[in-house]
Amino acid sequence: MRRIGETRTPDTVTSEASPNPGGITSAGRPRPQSATGASSGVATRKRTAGERPNEFVELARQVKESGLMDRRAGSYVLRLIVLSLAFAGAVTLLLTLGSTAWQLAVAALFGILFTQLAFLSHDSAHQQVFSTGRRNEWFSRIVGNLGVGLSYGWWLKKHSRHHALPNTIGHDGDIATGALVFVPEEAEGRKGFMGWITRRQGWLFFPLLSLFAFALHYNAIRTVLFAPKVKHRALEAALVAIRLIGFPALVFIALGPWLGLAFLGVQLAVFGVYMGGSFAPNHKGMPLIPKDEKVDFLRRQVLTSRNIRGGLLVEWAMGGLNYQIEHHLFPRMPSMNLRKVRPIVQQYCAEHDIPYTETGIVGAYVIVIRYLNRVGLGHADPMECPITAQYRPS
C-alpha cells in the first residue's frame, strides 16, 4: 500500500506516543475503533492474542489521575491580561508614531498579536479555558470573530473533522487540495498556472502562506453570509464586520491611504505566515491514512502528528501546539499542561511500540518543503515513512 510520510533525518526523533479522543469537544473518552494499527499509506497490523481492545483507556486513566486535565483559569486570565496590554501598546504606537516607516514594524507586531489571540480562541473552542461548554463557546466566538476576524462556526466544523480523522484522505479538510496539494494522486493532471505552482509548491510554501490571512477572512465572510446552519449567524456576521471594517478604518485614519495599505499588507502577511507556519509542521509530511482504512484511535492520532522541540520559547510561539501529539490525544487539556503530560505519553507509547515523532522547527520545515515538492512533481511514493515501516507486515 502506498506510504506517504517523512524521512528519518538527524532532527527527527522517533520514539513512541499516545492518543486522545478525536474532535474538539471530546472529553477524553475514546471512540469505538477497530483494532488495526496503521500509518501513512497505511500498513495494517493484526491484533495479537491478549492485546487490549482499546489501549487508550489505560493512558486516559493515568492522565486523569495526574490532574493535568484540570482547568488552569489563572494562567488563562494572565495570558488574556498580557495580550490586552500588548494590544493597547500596539494601538498607542499606531496612533502616535505618525507617518513613518516604523509603522511597518507595528504592523508586524499586530500580525503576531492577532495570531496569539487566535491561539487563545483555539484553546477556548477546545473547552480548555472555562468549566462549562457554553462559556468556552462564547469566549471563543467573541475572541475569534471580533478579535481575529475568523468565523467560529467555520472553524468549529473544519477543526472538529480534523481532530476526528487527522491526515485521513477525503475526511480531513486540512489536507484537501487547494493552492497546495498534499495527496500525490491529486497532483496529477494539474495544468496551467495551478500546475506550475504545484510543481514548485514546496519552494512557494512560505510565499503562499503570506496569503493565508486573506483565505481565513474570506472563509469567515463566506460562512456568515452563505453557509447553512450557522449558530448565531447575525451575531457572528456583526462581529466579523466590526473587525474586518473597523481595524482597517482605524489604520487608514491614522496613516492615510498609501502607508495604510502598506501597513495592512505587512500585518496580513505576518499573520498568515505566523498562523499557517504554526499549524503546518504538526501534520504536513506525516503519514496519510486512506479514506476507508480502519485505525484505532490511539495510533490514528499519534502516527499522524509531529511534536516540535524547542522549549518554552517554541511553546509560546506556537501557542502550545508544538505538543501536537498530546493535544490530539487530550484536546480538552489546557495547553500549558501539554508539556507536563508529554513524558507520560512518551513512556506509554514506548511500552506499546507506538512511534512518537519529534523534530526541531527547522527540521520540520525542511521535511514539509521536501514533501510538498515531491508530491508536486508527481512522486507516487514521495517518501518512505519510518513510522509505516514499523507496522509493515513481516
Side-chain angles (χ1 to χ4, degrees), residues 207-360:
L208 288 172
L209 281 186
S210 67
L211 304 175
F212 186 52
F214 291 97
L216 293 174
H217 294 325
Y218 167 76
N219 281 311
I221 295 170
R222 186 179 65 175
T223 297
V224 299
L225 291 180
F226 304 114
K229 299 180 181 179
V230 177
K231 287 180 62 177
H232 307 290
R233 182 191 301 274
L235 177 61
E236 279 217 27
L239 294 176
V240 168
I242 291 171
R243 164 63 179 83
L244 296 184
I245 296 173
F247 181 70
L250 176 64
V251 170
F252 286 129
I253 291 171
L255 304 181
W258 301 115
L259 184 56
L261 281 173
F263 183 101
L264 291 174
V266 171
Q267 180 264 303
L268 289 167
V270 171
F271 175 46
V273 171
Y274 185 12
M275 185 83 160
S278 296
F279 284 88
N282 300 324
H283 299 281
K284 302 302 183 283
M286 291 299 288
L288 299 184
I289 298 178
K291 184 175 183 178
D292 298 321
E293 188 74 30
K294 303 299 182 183
V295 186
D296 67 279
F297 174 79
L298 181 62
R299 287 170 177 79
R300 181 181 292 273
Q301 302 298 334
V302 175
L303 299 179
T304 60
S305 302
R306 175 195 295 115
N307 277 13
I308 307 299
R309 295 191 301 264
L312 292 176
L313 178 60
V314 170
E315 180 178 341
W316 170 82
M318 297 184 69
L321 296 177
N322 56 309
Y323 301 109
Q324 190 69 192
I325 293 172
E326 289 73 22
H327 173 59
H328 264 255
L329 291 177
F330 304 99
R332 286 194 174 194
M333 179 178 289
S335 58
M336 61 284 299
N337 284 351
L338 294 174
R339 58 184 159 87
K340 297 178 181 179
V341 80
R342 174 174 166 270
I344 299 175
V345 171
Q346 283 185 309
Q347 170 87 20
Y348 193 82
C349 288
E351 292 171 355
H352 291 77
D353 296 323
I354 303 172
Y356 181 106
T357 302
E358 282 189 340
T359 183

Side-chain angles (χ1 to χ4, degrees), residues 57-373:
V57 172
E58 173 60 23
L59 175 63
R61 183 191 64 78
Q62 292 181 29
V63 171
K64 183 177 180 181
E65 290 177 355
S66 72
L68 294 173
M69 295 299 298
D70 296 344
R71 297 292 176 269
R72 296 282 302 275
S75 295
Y76 279 111
V77 168
L78 177 61
R79 188 168 159 186
L80 182 60
I81 290 173
V82 170
L83 262 178
S84 299
L85 292 174
F87 268 107
V91 171
T92 301
L93 290 172
L94 169 63
L95 298 178
T96 59
L97 276 181
S99 297
T100 168
W102 284 107
Q103 289 285 10
L104 300 183
V106 178
L109 175 60
F110 269 106
I112 293 170
L113 294 179
F114 283 133
T115 306
Q116 286 289 325
L117 200 60
F119 291 152
L120 186 59
S121 178
H122 167 272
D123 284 8
S124 188
H126 273 290
Q127 312 290 305
Q128 296 175 17
V129 179
F130 299 99
S131 59
T132 68
R134 181 177 176 82
R135 290 178 180 175
N136 278 298
E137 176 186 336
W138 278 103
F139 184 77
S140 182
R141 179 178 287 113
I142 292 170
V143 170
N145 289 53
L146 181 62
V148 186
L150 307 180
S151 166
Y152 172 80
W154 169 80
W155 184 90
L156 186 71
K157 181 178 180 180
K158 179 178 183 292
H159 204 60
S160 294
R161 294 185 68 182
H162 164 70
H163 266 263
L165 297 165
N167 271 24
T168 302
I169 299 170
H171 292 290
D172 184 359
D174 285 3
I175 59 170
T177 294
L180 298 174
V181 182
F182 300 101
V183 181
E185 294 83 353
E186 296 176 6
E188 299 172 3
R190 272 200 148 188
K191 305 295 183 182
F193 179 64
M194 292 309 299
W196 184 89
I197 289 179
T198 298
R199 291 189 295 274
R200 299 161 178 81
Q201 62 178 1
W203 305 122
L204 294 174
F205 175 63
F206 283 106
L208 288 172
L209 281 186
S210 67
L211 304 175
F212 186 52
F214 291 97
L216 293 174
H217 294 325
Y218 167 76
N219 281 311
I221 295 170
R222 186 179 65 175
T223 297
V224 299
L225 291 180
F226 304 114
K229 299 180 181 179
V230 177
K231 287 180 62 177
H232 307 290
R233 182 191 301 274
L235 177 61
E236 279 217 27
L239 294 176
V240 168
I242 291 171
R243 164 63 179 83
L244 296 184
I245 296 173
F247 181 70
L250 176 64
V251 170
F252 286 129
I253 291 171
L255 304 181
W258 301 115
L259 184 56
L261 281 173
F263 183 101
L264 291 174
V266 171
Q267 180 264 303
L268 289 167
V270 171
F271 175 46
V273 171
Y274 185 12
M275 185 83 160
S278 296
F279 284 88
N282 300 324
H283 299 281
K284 302 302 183 283
M286 291 299 288
L288 299 184
I289 298 178
K291 184 175 183 178
D292 298 321
E293 188 74 30
K294 303 299 182 183
V295 186
D296 67 279
F297 174 79
L298 181 62
R299 287 170 177 79
R300 181 181 292 273
Q301 302 298 334
V302 175
L303 299 179
T304 60
S305 302
R306 175 195 295 115
N307 277 13
I308 307 299
R309 295 191 301 264
L312 292 176
L313 178 60
V314 170
E315 180 178 341
W316 170 82
M318 297 184 69
L321 296 177
N322 56 309
Y323 301 109
Q324 190 69 192
I325 293 172
E326 289 73 22
H327 173 59
H328 264 255
L329 291 177
F330 304 99
R332 286 194 174 194
M333 179 178 289
S335 58
M336 61 284 299
N337 284 351
L338 294 174
R339 58 184 159 87
K340 297 178 181 179
V341 80
R342 174 174 166 270
I344 299 175
V345 171
Q346 283 185 309
Q347 170 87 20
Y348 193 82
C349 288
E351 292 171 355
H352 291 77
D353 296 323
I354 303 172
Y356 181 106
T357 302
E358 282 189 340
T359 183
I361 186 65
V362 175
Y365 286 132
V366 168
I367 291 168
V368 171
I369 290 170
R370 185 194 310 150
Y371 174 80
L372 287 172
N373 275 334

